[in-house]
């Protein structure tokens, strides 16, 4: 538990800093992969959505991608509708990212 408190404190310090994960982990003598593990664990325990900071400090939100529906199994009319709504949201997010990256 002592290690977890220490690492969660570092994650909170990193969130307040302007450093990338790589820069922060190097300054604190932690391997990048170890620090990334503790960041994921921190967000999982906190129950908040995880955001990743890339090397240029752009922030991206992660979201769940729905499982594909097996067409060979009989589905109720509700499940495909839910899947389509989530798929539509995913397509909108991808289109938005394509638009952003095409202007860079």
């Amino acid at each position: 538990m002592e290690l977890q408190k220490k690492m969660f404190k570092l994650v909170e310090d990193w969130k307040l800093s302007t450093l990338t994960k790589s820069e922060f982990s190097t300054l604190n003598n932690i391997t990048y992969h170890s620090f990334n593990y503790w960041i994921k664990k921190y967000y999982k325990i906190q129950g908040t959505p995880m955001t990743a900071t890339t090397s240029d400090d752009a922030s991206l939100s992660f979201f769940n991608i729905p499982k594909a529906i097996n067409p060979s199994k009989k589905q109720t009319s509700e499940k495909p509708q839910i899947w389509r709504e989530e798929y539509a949201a995913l397509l909108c997010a991808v289109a938005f990212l394509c638009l952003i990256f095409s202007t860079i």
Side-chain angles (χ1 to χ4, degrees):
M1 254 337 189
E2 202 59 37
L3 177 61
Q4 180 174 313
K5 284 182 182 179
K6 176 185 173 188
M7 296 308 289
F8 282 7
K9 172 73 170 108
L10 286 174
V11 171
E12 290 170 356
D13 291 345
W14 166 71
K15 285 172 52 179
L16 296 174
S17 78
T18 58
L19 300 173
T20 63
K21 288 187 275 188
S22 180
E23 294 166 339
F24 190 87
S25 59
T26 302
L27 286 173
N28 288 281
N29 297 320
I30 308 166
T31 65
Y32 175 82
H33 297 289
S34 176
F35 187 55
N36 209 37
Y37 164 82
W38 285 104
I39 291 171
K40 289 178 184 179
K41 188 167 184 160
Y42 174 87
Y43 280 108
K44 185 176 181 180
I45 290 174
Q46 297 295 322
T48 56
M50 174 150 174
T51 59
T53 305
T54 60
S55 58
D56 61 356
D57 287 273
S59 185
L60 304 172
S61 293
F62 291 105
F63 50 89
N64 292 329
I65 298 174
K67 292 182 179 177
I69 296 174
N70 186 349
S72 65
K73 291 185 179 179
K74 217 169 191 167
Q75 303 289 329
T76 65
S77 62
E78 292 177 32
K79 286 184 182 175
Q81 181 63 35
I82 292 169
W83 184 82
R84 273 182 261 162
E85 290 169 1
E86 291 177 349
Y87 186 69
L90 176 64
L91 288 177
C92 288
V94 169
F96 177 74
L97 289 174
C98 289
L99 177 67
I100 296 242
F101 286 112
S102 68
T103 60
I104 295 177

